[in-house]
Amino acid sequence: MSVLSRLRDVAIVGGFVGAISTVSVAQACEETAFTSKNAEIYLKAENEIMTNDNPQGALVHLNTLRQQELNCYEFGAALQLGAAIKLESEDYRGAINDLLRLIQDGYIKGDAVAQAHFNISQIYLTLDDLDRSLEYMNKWLAGGGQPDRSQKWILAVIYQKKENYRESLKWAEAVFKEDGPNAKREVYDFLIFLYDETGNLAKKAELLEYLLIKNPNERMLWDAISGDYFRANRDRRAFAVQQALYAGGILETEAELIRVVNFYNQFNAPFQAARVLEKEMNAGRITKDYKNLELLANLYQVAREFKRAIPVIEEAALMSTNGQMYERLGRSYVELKDWDLAEENLTKALNKGGLRDTSLAWVLIGQARYEGDDRAGAREAFRKSNSRGGRGWIGFMDAEEATATALARFEISSLVEDLKVEKRRCDKLAVLGGDPTEECQTVEDRLDAATADLVAFDTA
């Protein structure tokens, strides 16, 4: 799990409902309180979400509240509670819309607006929309937000993910200033990475002095400490030493550099592992062969950096004697929903051969064709897969087409029934001796035509 994912799980989702419930309603109208009946319903809804952790139960009471006659104070309170319920139900975009409405319609003012901007930024971070998250984080700061240690760390991680290392470093250093020399290892590791990326050698050396008080550039000492940690099975501490060695430019051999890459991967930092591996391959210090390109592709894909993985996989595919890399390339394009390139590369994989499981490739080709509205081609690919997945897709398409047929027949039969009713009405008018309307003059022909359409549909 990446630093961003851990931060998101621990610092963003947890406790957010409490933040929502403390947003104060704007005094844009004369009402400043609930009526007794509406207050009772609101408290039931709030109790379900805050005490019982039951968003569905809360929604039932909230819907009851919304059916009442609400003053503006009550409407704003219902809106903010609705945002909390949507958040707990993982309707994140719905929660964002409610929060924006609270701001735009003036239900909250001052500090509450800044807090809402912060809450919106955290929801976007949950959605992995870093640009929008950063946009609302900056609105929060502009509105007077004073970030605490956790919020500074969030900003550091967002900017690092966006590769704005200098801005990331500013916030990471602010975290380190609060933590002091006793900061957690992840803070040191993060700063070492950022100092290396920004080329800030002086600050990097200063940080290394905290980790190794004496002789930070003496290679024999580094090796001795690292060896002791290895022998004691304290791999994380050994990794910290290896990171510092790498950051100090002391590691030189390919085996040493690959060890750093493997450490990053071992400790759930595949993106950093990939960046180190790619940087050193481009510098010529790690061999750019099929094995290392495959490792780099694996690391980017595990980090869900599919766009970065694609050129690496393409290069490895040219070196490969089988179609496995083209299959991986096709799967990457499936992740990116580029269906044409997905089918193209999966077809190359099948033609080149050597796949461990051809059925998966055919299923993915079928999916690509289905998304491209080539239903006949999709069925052909699913049949060729000869797998449960392919049969499941065929069953889904059968059900889809049966539903479409049923809807089409329903439309025609409904028209027939409507015209029958219209004809009976016209017949009654004729009995009364009135002049037939233009519609009544044509109703019989229209009914005959619709009935013929229905017969044709049923016999087709």
Side-chain angles (χ1 to χ4, degrees):
M1 184 181 291
S2 66
V3 172
L4 181 60
S5 297
R6 291 199 305 270
L7 182 64
R8 182 180 63 205
D9 292 343
V10 174
I12 297 171
V13 177
F16 182 79
V17 175
I20 289 285
S21 65
T22 59
V23 174
S24 58
V25 179
Q27 305 302 308
C29 59
E30 295 181 0
E31 291 85 0
T32 60
F34 279 90
T35 63
S36 59
K37 178 182 177 182
N38 290 345
E40 182 180 351
I41 301 172
Y42 178 91
L43 289 174
K44 287 179 180 179
E46 187 178 60
N47 183 64
E48 289 294 335
I49 191 71
M50 298 293 291
T51 304
N52 299 334
D53 193 23
N54 179 13
Q56 292 305 315
L59 185 59
V60 170
H61 292 301
L62 183 61
N63 287 337
T64 300
L65 178 63
R66 285 171 171 162
Q67 293 170 6
Q68 311 306 310
E69 184 175 348
L70 303 178
N71 62 41
C72 61
Y73 179 91
E74 292 168 337
F75 186 86
L79 196 61
Q80 64 189 10
L81 184 58
I85 293 171
K86 288 176 182 177
L87 184 65
E88 285 299 296
S89 302
E90 298 185 354
D91 178 9
Y92 297 123
R93 297 200 180 276
I96 289 172
N97 290 336
D98 284 352
L99 289 171
L100 288 174
R101 187 173 179 188
L102 281 167
I103 297 169
Q104 294 163 358
D105 290 355
Y107 287 104
I108 54 176
K109 301 290 184 183
D111 292 342
V113 172
Q115 181 62 48
H117 282 148
F118 177 80
N119 293 336
I120 292 170
S121 78
Q122 303 312 285
I123 300 173
Y124 274 124
L125 192 57
T126 301
L127 295 169
D128 282 332
D129 189 338
L130 300 182
D131 290 330
R132 300 303 299 275
S133 177
L134 194 57
E135 174 190 344
Y136 281 93
M137 186 73 85
N138 285 328
K139 286 183 178 181
W140 171 62
L141 292 171
Q146 297 295 321
D148 59 19
R149 190 265 184 206
S150 175
Q151 291 156 350
K152 291 173 185 175
W153 183 248
I154 292 172
L155 283 161
V157 172
I158 292 176
Y159 278 114
Q160 181 268 334
K161 192 73 173 175
K162 288 178 62 61
E163 298 184 12
N164 187 341
Y165 298 122
R166 295 195 181 280
E167 193 67 16
S168 176
L169 182 58
K170 179 183 78 173
W171 292 106
E173 286 181 329
V175 170
F176 185 75
K177 184 177 180 180
E178 286 194 30
D179 291 351
N182 295 323
K184 291 182 178 179
R185 180 65 63 185
E186 65 179 359
V187 178
Y188 279 97
D189 295 345
F190 195 61
L191 279 169
I192 289 170
F193 172 78
L194 292 174
Y195 285 140
D196 188 57
E197 291 295 327
T198 56
N200 198 331
L201 301 180
K203 285 291 187 68
K204 181 171 63 179
E206 180 181 329
L207 190 65
L208 291 173
E209 288 177 5
Y210 285 116
L211 295 174
L212 295 173
I213 303 301
K214 298 178 181 180
N215 304 317
N217 294 316
E218 186 177 333
R219 178 62 189 270
M220 290 180 63
L221 178 60
W222 287 99
D223 287 340
I225 295 172
S226 180
D228 287 342
Y229 285 145
F230 275 125
R231 285 186 287 274
N233 294 319
R234 301 176 71 181
D235 287 354
R236 186 168 290 279
R237 286 188 174 272
F239 178 36
V241 174
Q242 292 295 316
Q243 284 178 298
L245 281 167
Y246 178 70
I250 298 172
L251 299 181
E252 297 177 351
T253 70
E254 182 167 328
E256 291 170 338
L257 296 169
I258 288 291
R259 185 188 304 140
V260 173
V261 172
N262 289 337
F263 263 126
Y264 271 116
N265 191 33
Q266 179 182 345
F267 291 109
N268 296 320
F271 180 75
Q272 286 82 355
R275 295 306 303 275
V276 171
L277 179 57
E278 188 169 43
K279 175 183 176 182
E280 297 303 336
M281 282 201 297
N282 290 337
R285 300 211 296 168
I286 292 179
T287 306
K288 187 179 282 190
D289 56 14
Y290 179 83
K291 178 182 177 181
N292 288 332
L293 285 170
E294 183 179 29
L295 173 60
L296 180 58
N298 288 341
L299 292 170
Y300 273 139
Q301 288 188 311
V302 170
R304 303 194 65 77
E305 295 284 348
F306 299 110
K307 288 184 179 179
R308 293 179 185 273
I310 282 174
V312 179
I313 301 172
E314 288 175 337
E315 193 170 356
L318 295 174
M319 298 181 181
S320 176
T321 59
N322 58 48
Q324 291 176 13
M325 275 296 166
Y326 282 113
E327 181 192 31
R328 178 177 291 186
L329 191 58
R331 288 162 63 182
S332 296
Y333 281 120
V334 168
E335 292 285 351
L336 295 171
K337 302 189 186 313
D338 190 329
W339 306 112
D340 290 339
L341 287 175
E343 180 179 356
E344 176 185 330
N345 284 281
L346 288 163
T347 302
K348 285 182 180 179
L350 289 168
N351 291 337
K352 200 164 185 179
L355 303 185
R356 297 184 182 91
D357 181 10
T358 59
S359 64
L360 176 60
W362 279 115
V363 168
L364 292 176
I365 288 173
Q367 183 181 354
R369 291 175 179 176
Y370 173 85
E371 295 292 345
D373 206 25
D374 178 9
R375 299 182 71 86
R379 283 182 175 276
E380 178 189 14
F382 292 141
R383 281 194 295 269
K384 286 184 177 180
S385 77
N386 192 28
S387 67
R388 179 184 295 179
R391 290 189 290 273
W393 267 100
I394 290 172
F396 168 75
M397 292 178 68
D398 287 344
E400 212 176 29
E401 289 165 7
T403 300
T405 300
L407 286 174
R409 189 187 189 284
F410 176 76
E411 289 181 1
I412 299 173
S413 63
S414 294
L415 177 60
V416 169
E417 293 303 318
D418 289 345
L419 288 170
K420 286 180 179 178
V421 171
E422 184 178 348
K423 185 176 183 305
R424 285 196 295 270
R425 187 173 62 249
C426 289
D427 290 344
K428 289 180 180 179
L429 289 174
V431 170
L432 296 174
D435 293 332
T437 64
E438 183 177 348
E439 288 78 8
C440 287
Q441 290 174 355
T442 62
V443 67
E444 191 165 349
D445 291 339
R446 287 184 286 125
L447 177 57
D448 289 344
T451 302
D453 288 343
L454 183 58
V455 171
F457 187 91
D458 288 339
T459 58

